[in-house]
Amino acid sequence: QQQVKQSPQSLIVQKGGISIINCAYENTAFDYFPWYQQFPGKGPALLIAIRPDVSEKKEGRFTISFNKSAKQFSLHIMDSQPGDSATYFCAASIEGNAGNMLTFGGGTRLMVKP
Amino acid sequence: NAGVMQNPRHLVRRRGQEARLRCSPMKGHSHVYWYRQLPEEGLKFMVYLQKENIIDESGMPKERFSAEFPKEGPSILRIQQVVRGDSAAYFCASSPRGGSYEQYFGPGTRLTVT
């Protein structure tokens, strides 16, 4: 199974709050899990990524938590700001000579209220 | 260092016409991926190319769609005899080498079929 399931579809958070987006996957061969941020009319931009040999990765206000046994990973945005309002996509890929196409989740539309 | 360039940004075609979408990868990148994003959905992989070679086209419809990445010039995604269901945003991403996880996305081409 190549599917990656993402939830929630939409999220409203107050400024300063924590935004949490969850993803689940089936294929245990996936070994790279990036998160992308997309603003309207723009292409996705890589935000942060994790590999399954670590359970957590933090970059500034963004943290990925990874649970290998549950086949789940999540994005936490601390101190959420109105400028974080965007659509967030989780993704997964498999290293291989044939390339590493990304399998994307369905996206979460985040709105941070001032 | 210029990012991934795509043109046109918006393309309107009538049913039955041809659409040509162009992608110039980042400087020094020789690997290109094409993804399609339907409204309110995540991105779906279409095709992966290296210079002059199609490596994986497992996500591309068998008919009407083709892609190329010539030795000189941009990568081109070609859709013949477009239908309304082809209306979507088409993104290309580039990567510096095979097996490299990081893909950098262009701004996309929004195709509308009337």
Side-chain angles (χ1 to χ4, degrees):
Chain A
Q1 272 290 350
Q2 294 290 324
Q3 206 171 15
V4 176
K5 295 184 179 179
Q6 184 171 346
S7 63
Q9 285 187 309
S10 62
L11 181 62
I12 299 174
V13 173
Q14 289 294 132
K15 179 182 175 182
I18 302 174
S19 304
I20 302 175
I21 304 171
N22 301 297
C23 283
Y25 63 97
E26 290 294 324
N27 189 344
T28 54
F30 285 141
D31 59 359
Y32 175 68
F33 303 90
W35 285 89
Y36 282 82
Q37 179 188 55
Q38 185 180 30
F39 293 104
K42 305 292 185 183
L46 180 63
L47 196 60
I48 186 173
I50 197 168
R51 292 192 172 86
D53 53 344
V54 297
S55 60
E56 186 174 283
K57 184 174 181 180
K58 184 176 180 179
E59 289 184 2
R61 295 184 296 109
F62 300 92
T63 300
I64 300 179
S65 297
F66 185 81
N67 186 330
K68 189 174 181 178
S69 60
K71 293 185 286 186
Q72 295 175 347
F73 58 109
S74 60
L75 176 69
H76 295 232
I77 306 174
M78 313 299 287
D79 187 25
S80 298
Q81 299 297 313
D84 297 330
S85 298
T87 299
Y88 292 81
F89 293 98
C90 63
S93 69
I94 306 169
E95 182 180 18
N97 293 331
N100 53 301
M101 69 287 295
L102 294 165
T103 300
F104 282 86
T108 296
R109 186 172 292 180
L110 171 66
M111 179 186 296
V112 181
K113 289 193 168 181
Chain B
N1 186 14
V4 178
M5 310 284 284
Q6 288 188 251
N7 68 81
R9 295 293 307 277
H10 299 274
L11 182 62
V12 179
R13 285 286 178 266
R14 290 201 176 110
R15 279 180 296 172
Q17 291 184 320
E18 179 179 287
R20 283 194 179 216
L21 289 62
R22 295 175 187 77
C23 169
S24 296
M26 288 179 70
K27 187 176 180 181
H29 288 195
S30 58
H31 300 257
V32 165
Y33 302 78
W34 284 93
Y35 293 85
R36 177 165 64 176
Q37 184 178 33
L38 295 171
E40 307 299 322
E41 292 188 15
L43 288 80
K44 298 285 195 294
F45 166 76
M46 299 182 73
V47 62
Y48 163 48
L49 310 102
Q50 295 177 22
K51 285 282 187 182
E52 301 183 277
N53 286 301
I54 297 175
I55 306 302
D56 185 340
E57 56 183 347
S58 59
M60 200 152 70
K62 294 286 187 284
E63 298 182 355
R64 303 187 298 108
F65 286 73
S66 62
E68 63 178 14
F69 190 15
K71 187 177 179 181
E72 302 290 337
S75 174
I76 295 176
L77 180 67
R78 182 181 176 201
I79 311 172
Q80 295 178 293
Q81 299 176 320
V82 296
V83 301
R84 288 225 172 106
D86 296 333
S87 295
Y90 292 82
F91 292 95
C92 85
S94 74
S95 183
R97 57 191 179 275
S100 169
Y101 295 111
E102 294 188 2
Q103 296 181 21
Y104 299 88
F105 282 81
T109 294
R110 277 144 188 89
L111 172 66
T112 302
V113 180
T114 61

